[in-house]
Amino acid sequence: MEYIVSARKYRPMSFDTVVGQKALTTTLKNTVKSGKLAHAYLFCGPRGVGKTTCARIFAKAINCTNPTEDGEACNECESCKAFNEQRSYNIFELDAASNNGVDQIKALMEQTRIPPQVGRYKVFIIDEVHMLSTQAFNAFLKTLEEPPAHVVFILATTEKHKILPTIISRCQIYDFERMTTANIVNHLKMVAEKEGITYEEEALNVIAEKADGGMRDALSVFDQTASFCQGNITYQKVIEDLNVLDSENYFNIIDCALENKVSDIMVLLNTVINKGFDGGHLVNGLAAHVRNLMMAKDEQTLSLIDCSNKMRERYKEQAAKCKPQFLYSALRIMNDCDINYRQSSNKRLLVELTLIEVAQLTQEETPGVGHRPKRLKTLFKKLIANKRSEAALQVAATVVSKQPKQTAANRQTIDVAAPTADQSGQPAEKQKQAGGRILKMDGIFNNFHSLSEAEKPHYQIQPKIENKDENKEFTQEQLEFEWMAMCNRMPQDMYGMASRMKNIIPKIATLPNIELEVSNQTLLKQIEEIKGRIKATMAKQLHNGNIELILKLANNESSIKILSKRDLFEQMMSKNKAISKMHKLLEFELS
């Protein structure tokens, strides 16, 4: 007896047996019942979801001389029997992948002139229609727009975007959906029962996930695993045959990450790689697992996990242990790994570092070997501590009660609530009458000038220089490099101040003294507040504990205008006539 693969043996023969396309099959059945047929249909969607199958069923139904009440073919008339026995002369199938030239389309158009001998319509099914050449499409246009009354075209494609808009506008379009895992599993159960094959539901879920929404792929994989398992499809045999990474690995990695067990994760990673799996595949699978955990955090999104009910409960159980911030951060880290994976020269090390970072997301930020801090621990770290001391909170409350509320984040201006004197001694009311507004200085230090050293919060206490014994000489180039590096390491909350400090060029007055020329009084005061920390940082980086900072306010004469790229280009043209001449000849513009 000839063996027939399941994808052909269990191919649907009626609309009711089509899996996962309920809306489309209902529409087609209603079309058959009403007899209101379009002259051209376009079936589009992913591979293996039933496009060609539905086209054949539809062609058979519209030629049936005695259709049923719900729009199905009767399978008893001569037209239906001829179709079932593959001898119908009214239904033509053309593979556009191998017949994509103008000559083949012209030959097809000649056949449309001959009316059907049995039945009412001649149906032309053109599969993979997007493979037709542009010339073939153009030769097809006129006939497609005004075909004979007895002709119906059914076009099928997996890539609708490659079809000419003039073709699409002449067709009724039916978009086929990708199969869900549940639909595929139910169909595989039916096939297994008819074939007398025993199975585990989790094994069928793995097959359905491997098929990626295509029923034909699922049936092909089912035949493969059934042959390997010899009639008893189990979960372990399926993942062994398909070389699929067991989802249990992902659950174990997350459990270890929640307990900061980095060593266990490294051992697990080594085991996975030794089995022949790629590290990038593990990271992508873990990212999908974490995404499912995020969906399982809420009952409303739990249904978005495309898996079995048993697996969905496992996701829900593990999601209860995970904090949302942990899941968000883990996804971000793994996404960065995925972006950098192809370019990495040491892929395994990249995967290991990624898993270490994920494993330490739940670890408290304490000094220790192997711990990845959330941000670089420079001397500026203490300036933006999340928890202020009680003294700072009391002073801040007093200041807020005396002046309008404003945050450093929005930098908005505020009107003066009551007449107060500015630093020049003039009442602020006069400033308001002149249309002026008072700008609040960046930073959080200006309200604490009057505090003694003991009363100041910890982020204002000046650090001690620990390398007093070092007295290494440094160059101007080294000084500028370390100054820029310090500005780049400053925390995000001080981004505005760091940007302004980058415009300052530190100069060596007399070793080891450093001179800073500041452009305005406001920035001078801000730098004065953190002068001790700047000094300690530069002393450490330049290996000289005797550094002194000299701050001075720049006068108008010493102020240097910062030129834009266009200003610099115009300055070059004014100094060099050759550049100016080249600019006129080539007529180029500065981007």
Side-chain angles (χ1 to χ4, degrees), residues 96 98-107 131-133 135-137 139:
S98 55
N99 300 279
N100 55 6
V102 177
D103 295 337
Q104 288 88 350
I105 292 298
K106 286 182 178 179
M131 299 291 287
L132 289 177
S133 64
Q135 293 79 7
F137 270 130

Side-chain angles (χ1 to χ4, degrees), residues 306-335:
D306 194 9
C307 62
S308 64
N309 292 330
K310 181 179 178 181
M311 187 64 69
R312 195 174 284 118
E313 287 300 319
R314 284 202 66 186
Y315 279 122
K316 187 177 179 180
E317 180 182 346
Q318 189 174 62
K321 306 176 187 175
C322 304
K323 294 182 180 180
Q325 189 60 40
F326 166 75
L327 299 177
Y328 300 149
S329 301
L331 273 180
R332 177 183 54 77
I333 292 171
M334 287 183 285
N335 182 63

Side-chain angles (χ1 to χ4, degrees), residues 213-417:
M215 184 62 76
R216 182 172 61 240
D217 292 358
L219 290 170
S220 299
V221 175
F222 176 81
D223 287 345
Q224 175 186 336
T225 53
S227 176
F228 177 78
C229 300
Q230 298 182 347
N232 181 22
I233 301 178
T234 62
Y235 177 78
Q236 289 298 329
K237 289 183 178 179
V238 166
I239 63 174
E240 180 183 352
D241 181 39
L242 301 181
N243 199 29
V244 175
L245 192 57
D246 189 357
S247 59
E248 194 68 30
N249 291 304
Y250 303 135
F251 284 101
N252 291 338
I253 289 175
I254 296 300
D255 286 337
C256 291
L258 293 175
E259 299 176 10
N260 309 128
K261 295 181 179 178
V262 178
S263 301
D264 292 351
I265 294 178
M266 293 297 101
V267 172
L268 193 152
L269 172 63
N270 185 66
T271 303
V272 169
I273 292 178
N274 288 340
K275 289 181 179 179
F277 292 101
D278 182 57
H281 178 68
L282 173 66
V283 172
N284 289 333
L286 184 61
H289 179 83
V290 174
R291 176 262 178 195
N292 289 341
L293 291 177
M294 289 179 61
M295 298 301 105
K297 292 289 288 183
D298 193 331
E299 289 290 341
Q300 293 181 345
T301 56
L302 188 60
S303 60
L304 299 180
I305 305 176
D306 194 9
C307 62
S308 64
N309 292 330
K310 181 179 178 181
M311 187 64 69
R312 195 174 284 118
E313 287 300 319
R314 284 202 66 186
Y315 279 122
K316 187 177 179 180
E317 180 182 346
Q318 189 174 62
K321 306 176 187 175
C322 304
K323 294 182 180 180
Q325 189 60 40
F326 166 75
L327 299 177
Y328 300 149
S329 301
L331 273 180
R332 177 183 54 77
I333 292 171
M334 287 183 285
N335 182 63
D336 292 342
C337 176
D338 183 45
I339 293 172
N340 299 323
Y341 188 77
R342 290 185 180 180
Q343 300 175 352
S344 175
S345 58
N346 192 340
K347 293 179 170 53
R348 175 163 182 167
L349 178 61
L350 177 62
V351 173
E352 288 175 343
L353 289 174
T354 299
L355 294 178
I356 289 172
E357 290 183 27
V358 172
Q360 295 195 346
L361 286 174
T362 55
Q363 182 173 331
E364 294 295 331
E365 188 170 354
T366 54
V369 178
H371 175 59
R372 176 186 181 272
K374 295 181 179 178
R375 57 174 67 158
L376 293 174
K377 290 187 176 180
T378 65
L379 294 172
F380 291 89
K381 175 66 181 176
K382 297 179 181 180
L383 292 173
I384 55 164
N386 293 328
K387 295 183 179 180
R388 300 180 179 181
S389 62
E390 294 183 1
L393 289 174
Q394 293 174 0
V395 175
T398 305
V399 173
V400 169
S401 64
K402 292 182 179 181
Q403 61 183 20
K405 183 178 180 181
Q406 172 151 1
T407 63
N410 53 29
R411 306 289 196 270
Q412 294 177 345
T413 58
I414 55 171
D415 290 323
V416 180

Side-chain angles (χ1 to χ4, degrees), residues 305-581:
I305 305 176
D306 194 9
C307 62
S308 64
N309 292 330
K310 181 179 178 181
M311 187 64 69
R312 195 174 284 118
E313 287 300 319
R314 284 202 66 186
Y315 279 122
K316 187 177 179 180
E317 180 182 346
Q318 189 174 62
K321 306 176 187 175
C322 304
K323 294 182 180 180
Q325 189 60 40
F326 166 75
L327 299 177
Y328 300 149
S329 301
L331 273 180
R332 177 183 54 77
I333 292 171
M334 287 183 285
N335 182 63
D336 292 342
C337 176
D338 183 45
I339 293 172
N340 299 323
Y341 188 77
R342 290 185 180 180
Q343 300 175 352
S344 175
S345 58
N346 192 340
K347 293 179 170 53
R348 175 163 182 167
L349 178 61
L350 177 62
V351 173
E352 288 175 343
L353 289 174
T354 299
L355 294 178
I356 289 172
E357 290 183 27
V358 172
Q360 295 195 346
L361 286 174
T362 55
Q363 182 173 331
E364 294 295 331
E365 188 170 354
T366 54
V369 178
H371 175 59
R372 176 186 181 272
K374 295 181 179 178
R375 57 174 67 158
L376 293 174
K377 290 187 176 180
T378 65
L379 294 172
F380 291 89
K381 175 66 181 176
K382 297 179 181 180
L383 292 173
I384 55 164
N386 293 328
K387 295 183 179 180
R388 300 180 179 181
S389 62
E390 294 183 1
L393 289 174
Q394 293 174 0
V395 175
T398 305
V399 173
V400 169
S401 64
K402 292 182 179 181
Q403 61 183 20
K405 183 178 180 181
Q406 172 151 1
T407 63
N410 53 29
R411 306 289 196 270
Q412 294 177 345
T413 58
I414 55 171
D415 290 323
V416 180
T420 56
D422 63 1
Q423 293 179 356
S424 62
Q426 295 181 350
E429 186 63 33
K430 292 183 179 180
Q431 296 180 6
K432 184 176 179 182
Q433 292 174 358
R437 290 179 181 272
I438 296 179
L439 296 175
K440 185 176 180 181
M441 189 182 300
D442 290 340
I444 58 173
F445 312 108
N446 301 308
N447 296 326
F448 305 102
H449 290 302
S450 59
L451 294 177
S452 65
E453 194 69 20
E455 294 173 333
K456 288 183 179 179
H458 63 86
Y459 54 79
Q460 272 201 307
I461 300 174
Q462 302 299 341
K464 295 181 180 180
I465 297 177
E466 299 176 354
N467 58 334
K468 285 282 188 181
D469 297 335
E470 288 188 288
N471 193 23
K472 185 178 179 180
E473 293 186 0
F474 53 88
T475 63
Q476 177 67 26
E477 184 179 355
Q478 291 174 329
L479 172 61
E480 293 179 10
F481 176 81
E482 294 299 342
W483 177 268
M484 189 61 64
M486 177 189 68
C487 294
N488 290 331
R489 292 196 303 268
M490 290 176 68
Q492 187 66 30
D493 290 15
M494 300 183 69
Y495 177 79
M497 186 172 181
S499 298
R500 292 187 289 274
M501 287 175 61
K502 288 179 182 179
N503 294 327
I504 300 174
I505 300 177
K507 297 180 181 178
I508 300 176
T510 54
L511 278 174
N513 299 326
I514 300 173
E515 184 180 280
L516 301 177
E517 190 173 290
V518 185
S519 59
N520 58 74
Q521 186 69 34
T522 302
L523 182 59
L524 182 67
K525 289 185 178 181
Q526 291 176 328
I527 295 178
E528 189 70 41
E529 293 290 345
I530 58 173
K531 178 179 177 181
R533 296 193 173 274
I534 295 175
K535 179 180 175 181
T537 301
M538 299 305 292
K540 180 179 179 181
Q541 298 300 326
L542 295 172
H543 303 285
N544 192 320
N546 299 314
I547 284 176
E548 292 294 338
L549 295 182
I550 303 171
L551 300 180
K552 74 174 189 175
L553 187 64
N555 52 38
N556 293 332
E557 295 179 356
S558 62
S559 296
I560 301 174
K561 179 183 178 182
I562 299 175
L563 300 178
S564 64
K565 291 183 179 180
R566 183 170 295 278
D567 294 335
L568 290 171
F569 181 64
E570 291 176 353
Q571 191 179 78
M572 288 171 60
M573 286 196 299
S574 63
K575 293 181 179 179
N576 194 325
K577 294 182 179 181
I579 296 177
S580 178
K581 186 176 180 180

